[in-house]
Amino acid sequence: MQRVTIMDVAARAELSPSTVSLYFRKPDAVSAAASEAIARAIEALDYVPNLMAGGLAAASSRVVSIIVPSVRNAFFAETVTALQDELGKQRLQVMLSHTEYKEHDEENLVRTALSWAPAAVVLTGLSHSAATRRLLRDSKVPVVEIWELGSPTMDMAVGFHHDQVGHAAASHLLQRGRKRLLFLGARLHEDRRAARRAQGFVEAARNAPDVTAEIIQHPAPASAEVGAMLLGEALHRFPNVDGIACSNDHIALGVIFECQRSGVAIPERLSVMGFGDLSFSAAANPSLTTIRPPGDLIGKEAARLIIARLAHLGAEPEQAVIDTRFTLLHRQSS
Amino acid sequence: MQRVTIMDVAARAELSPSTVSLYFRKPDAVSAAASEAIARAIEALDYVPNLMAGGLAAASSRVVSIIVPSVRNAFFAETVTALQDELGKQRLQVMLSHTEYKEHDEENLVRTALSWAPAAVVLTGLSHSAATRRLLRDSKVPVVEIWELGSPTMDMAVGFHHDQVGHAAASHLLQRGRKRLLFLGARLHEDRRAARRAQGFVEAARNAPDVTAEIIQHPAPASAEVGAMLLGEALHRFPNVDGIACSNDHIALGVIFECQRSGVAIPERLSVMGFGDLSFSAAANPSLTTIRPPGDLIGKEAARLIIARLAHLGAEPEQAVIDTRFTLLHRQSS
DNA sequence: TTGAAAGCGCTAACAG
DNA sequence: CTGTTAGCGCTTTCAA
């Protein structure tokens, strides 16, 4: 596969391989004349460095391993994109894996990830098996946990508190004068962050006087169809419901469609809100009140932490925890 | 980073390193007794193989590099997920990159990908720069082009013909008795596959008697908001329009919402169809007629081709081209 | 600023 | 089925 090596480049530039190596790693430490000769040789030979050889010799690669529940989830897709963009600027490569919400698989994925002696590992959420923690601790690789804040943190963390999202949703509905509240959730048993939002919602609601709050859930992944079904169940079981928060915008969209079909007026009779601010939410009819998690920012900040850590590898690692917060977008549906 | 090596494992199992190596690469070629001893040693030492060393020695890694326009796009997310699942079963790792529809970046991404001596490279679409083609040809790495069929193919390809999608959409609307057709598209200048769908649509429509067909487009990425805007423009410029095909379901969703707001009856006055069968399409009100591209299947087939090629590395490489087709889902909106 | 030398941890003939 | 022996292509002291 690899034909041209650093030796070939060195020979053509009439320099030693170590100088060429230095040219790649610390360009400033090489004289202008040498740099130019090397650049010319690379060009002429169409040299492609072998990063595996480099990683092996350096005992560490420029790979950042990212493990998310699913890329099909728009939230994580956004974060992965941002991470990739920011890390790419530093010539760091992303190696992606997904657990499909099977936390049990994470350990194997981490083990494989470590086989590449990654420069850093990015994990979603805070709940990881003891073995996973040990593996990562022993490897001494920088770790960033994303999309969830709380305790305990392994190393660095970037995200927000999901119970606060639940609180914010409940507060908003209460403020709109709603008293019979429902949280509609999908796959709450697997999606711990959604479950925490649900919990936070119910807690906050029940602290208010004369307010009831319940959770209705469905085991399937979130989708508009599940949302429509959940609304049906909600109306059946709690005919007086006047405020609904959904575990995400897909569910909320299904609720909107189902309300249209059943003639339930939003927001007059029922206030609806979602989570995610997905691409359709602002354009919906009525437009959807929702809470926007800063998926992009999470990726950017995680990348920043990694890059900073890599820059001060010798120094005392600082255990950064970044709360990115979230934003409530009040629109027509409430 | 890496402490425990294959030598440590060998020592503890009282075998030679090469036997341990064999144990990983060809488990069947190792005796049961040896296997057990090795397994025990691995367990006891918590051994994590160094894949870079392995890749260097073998002159090829178990990395498959995938380059897509964007993971935020549900289509590619689905394919990437399937690829990852299938490749993972063979202990092949996915290294993901995105071009954000800047074809110009692809060459650099391919160059970097090749630095890892990947087992295969997966590219989206068929249009690649001459330099990219040369790089890949010289590297002799298996290449799979996905999500588009046509000519020319570099090596292997899995996808479908996007002009056929356009044809199918036009035929469907014509069959429903529609005569004043419009294709609403987003970012057609960057998304070549959407552009080909638009072309196919117009071509097929104009072949029918008494039928008109036009394309209206917007430079921004596809979203429901863009869809709503495009419908406004469509109604303004072509008040008689009775059939609309959209470059994807996001656009179509925006069209549905905007029609609700403007009191345009779907499908009575206007037939609407999309492309993608996204998660909300079946639950929409009215439910959305759409064309479903087999994103998952594309990933699975691409993985299958890669695995097959890897299994017969010596043999004459067969230039597989797989047409996955697509499915028209007739629902209420038409 | 550049070069020589010694591996990094593993695979891959080949021999036994 | 197992062991011996050379590297894979690069980085990294250490000297010059």
Side-chain angles (χ1 to χ4, degrees):
Chain A
M1 265 22 171
Q2 298 280 339
R3 266 277 103 93
V4 183
T5 76
I6 204 171
M7 311 261 290
D8 301 316
V9 174
R12 193 166 223 273
E14 299 185 307
L15 288 161
S16 77
S18 48
T19 305
V20 178
S21 175
L22 206 59
Y23 168 84
F24 281 112
R25 292 173 299 109
K26 297 182 175 144
D28 299 339
V30 176
S31 71
S35 288
E36 198 166 318
I38 293 171
R40 223 193 311 281
I42 290 171
E43 176 78 33
L45 299 173
D46 213 355
Y47 170 64
V48 176
N50 183 324
L51 262 22
M52 290 193 299
L56 176 59
S60 147
S61 69
R62 296 194 68 79
V63 165
V64 173
S65 185
I66 303 181
I67 300 177
V68 293
S70 165
V71 260
R72 279 173 304 185
N73 183 136
F75 301 151
F76 303 126
E78 207 179 334
T79 300
V80 168
T81 300
L83 267 164
Q84 209 149 342
D85 280 340
E86 299 300 314
L87 294 174
K89 289 177 191 163
Q90 308 288 322
R91 302 193 347 275
L92 288 160
Q93 290 278 303
V94 165
M95 211 146 193
L96 188 68
S97 316
H98 58 235
T99 62
E100 289 308 323
Y101 292 95
K102 313 253 173 301
E103 279 193 5
H104 160 267
D105 286 358
E106 197 185 53
E107 183 180 330
N108 281 326
L109 296 177
V110 167
R111 195 178 292 277
T112 307
L114 291 178
S115 300
W116 290 98
V121 172
V122 177
L123 259 34
T124 308
L126 300 174
S127 74
H128 314 289
S129 76
T132 302
R133 287 168 190 285
R134 183 173 45 68
L135 227 40
L136 287 167
R137 186 167 22 75
D138 292 352
S139 74
K140 288 173 190 117
V141 170
V143 174
V144 186
E145 290 167 287
I146 57 173
W147 271 92
E148 186 175 356
L149 247 42
S151 60
T153 291
M154 297 183 65
D155 181 1
M156 301 177 276
V158 184
F160 55 91
H161 293 274
H162 288 258
D163 47 356
Q164 290 180 6
V165 170
H167 283 231
S171 302
H172 176 72
L173 291 175
L174 294 174
Q175 207 177 304
R176 311 301 301 163
R178 303 309 183 168
K179 303 260 183 198
R180 300 289 159 260
L181 308 187
L182 245 36
F183 187 97
L184 306 189
R187 196 158 51 171
L188 257 29
H189 56 297
E190 286 184 332
D191 186 344
R192 292 171 173 259
R193 287 166 291 283
R196 290 189 64 189
R197 295 197 289 277
Q199 259 173 35
F201 180 82
V202 169
E203 258 173 45
R206 290 185 180 161
N207 272 339
D210 303 327
V211 170
T212 61
E214 300 292 336
I215 297 174
I216 302 185
Q217 55 176 306
H218 191 92
S223 71
E225 269 176 295
V226 167
M229 286 168 50
L230 284 169
L231 182 79
E233 186 179 343
L235 255 25
H236 180 72
R237 288 178 49 195
F238 304 94
N240 293 325
V241 57
D242 58 8
I244 284 182
C246 302
S247 62
N248 68 43
D249 285 3
H250 288 292
I251 302 286
L253 183 64
V255 167
I256 288 179
F257 283 134
E258 194 60 22
C259 283
Q260 290 177 353
R261 283 187 279 256
S262 334
V264 174
I266 302 177
E268 293 77 7
R269 169 165 163 209
L270 184 66
S271 287
V272 176
M273 57 187 299
F275 171 78
D277 191 30
L278 299 184
S279 70
F280 51 77
S281 305
N285 175 39
S287 60
L288 180 64
T289 293
T290 192
I291 286 171
R292 177 213 286 268
D296 185 75
L297 181 63
I298 290 173
K300 282 200 171 73
E301 289 294 303
R304 199 174 57 70
L305 289 180
I306 291 169
I307 291 163
R309 174 71 64 87
L310 260 34
H312 309 280
L313 260 191
E316 175 78 357
E318 48 165 332
Q319 286 211 353
V321 171
I322 297 180
D323 188 343
T324 59
R325 312 295 176 83
F326 50 84
T327 320
L328 192 148
L329 301 167
H330 183 190
R331 295 198 276 236
Q332 296 167 348
S333 70
S334 65
Chain B
M1 261 31 170
Q2 298 280 341
R3 265 279 100 97
V4 182
T5 75
I6 204 170
M7 309 262 288
D8 301 317
V9 175
R12 193 167 222 273
E14 299 184 307
L15 288 161
S16 78
S18 53
T19 306
V20 179
S21 174
L22 207 60
Y23 168 83
F24 282 112
R25 292 174 297 110
K26 295 180 179 149
D28 299 337
V30 177
S31 72
S35 287
E36 198 167 316
I38 293 171
R40 224 194 309 281
I42 290 171
E43 176 78 31
L45 299 171
D46 213 354
Y47 169 64
V48 176
N50 183 326
L51 262 23
M52 290 193 297
L56 177 59
S60 146
S61 68
R62 295 194 69 78
V63 166
V64 173
S65 185
I66 302 180
I67 301 177
V68 292
S70 166
V71 259
R72 280 173 304 185
N73 182 138
F75 300 152
F76 303 125
E78 207 178 336
T79 300
V80 167
T81 299
L83 266 164
Q84 208 149 340
D85 280 340
E86 298 300 315
L87 295 174
K89 289 177 192 165
Q90 308 288 322
R91 303 196 346 275
L92 288 160
Q93 289 279 301
V94 164
M95 211 148 196
L96 187 69
S97 316
H98 58 235
T99 62
E100 290 307 323
Y101 292 95
K102 312 256 173 300
E103 278 191 7
H104 161 266
D105 286 358
E106 196 184 54
E107 183 180 330
N108 282 325
L109 296 177
V110 167
R111 195 178 291 276
T112 306
L114 292 178
S115 299
W116 289 98
V121 173
V122 177
L123 259 32
T124 308
L126 300 173
S127 74
H128 314 288
S129 76
T132 301
R133 288 168 189 285
R134 184 173 45 67
L135 228 40
L136 287 167
R137 185 165 25 72
D138 292 353
S139 73
K140 287 171 193 118
V141 169
V143 175
V144 186
E145 291 167 287
I146 57 172
W147 271 92
E148 188 175 353
L149 248 41
S151 60
T153 291
M154 297 182 66
D155 182 0
M156 300 176 277
V158 183
F160 54 92
H161 293 275
H162 287 259
D163 46 356
Q164 289 180 4
V165 171
H167 283 230
S171 302
H172 176 72
L173 292 175
L174 293 174
Q175 207 178 305
R176 310 303 300 163
R178 304 310 184 168
K179 303 261 182 197
R180 300 286 160 261
L181 307 186
L182 243 36
F183 187 97
L184 306 189
R187 194 155 55 170
L188 258 28
H189 56 297
E190 287 184 330
D191 186 343
R192 292 172 174 259
R193 286 166 292 283
R196 289 189 64 191
R197 295 197 290 275
Q199 260 172 36
F201 180 81
V202 169
E203 261 173 44
R206 290 187 179 156
N207 272 339
D210 301 326
V211 169
T212 61
E214 300 292 336
I215 297 173
I216 303 186
Q217 55 177 305
H218 192 91
S223 72
E225 270 176 295
V226 167
M229 286 168 51
L230 284 170
L231 181 79
E233 187 180 342
L235 256 24
H236 179 74
R237 288 177 49 194
F238 304 95
N240 294 325
V241 56
D242 58 8
I244 285 183
C246 302
S247 61
N248 68 42
D249 284 2
H250 288 293
I251 302 287
L253 183 64
V255 167
I256 287 180
F257 283 134
E258 194 60 22
C259 283
Q260 290 177 351
R261 281 187 281 256
S262 333
V264 174
I266 302 176
E268 293 75 8
R269 173 169 157 204
L270 184 65
S271 288
V272 176
M273 56 186 300
F275 172 78
D277 191 31
L278 299 183
S279 68
F280 51 77
S281 305
N285 174 40
S287 61
L288 181 64
T289 292
T290 191
I291 286 171
R292 177 213 285 267
D296 186 74
L297 181 62
I298 290 173
K300 282 201 172 72
E301 289 295 301
R304 199 175 57 70
L305 289 180
I306 291 169
I307 292 163
R309 175 70 66 87
L310 260 34
H312 309 279
L313 260 191
E316 174 78 357
E318 48 165 333
Q319 287 211 353
V321 170
I322 297 179
D323 188 343
T324 59
R325 311 296 176 83
F326 49 84
T327 320
L328 194 147
L329 300 167
H330 183 191
R331 295 198 277 236
Q332 297 167 346
S333 70
S334 63

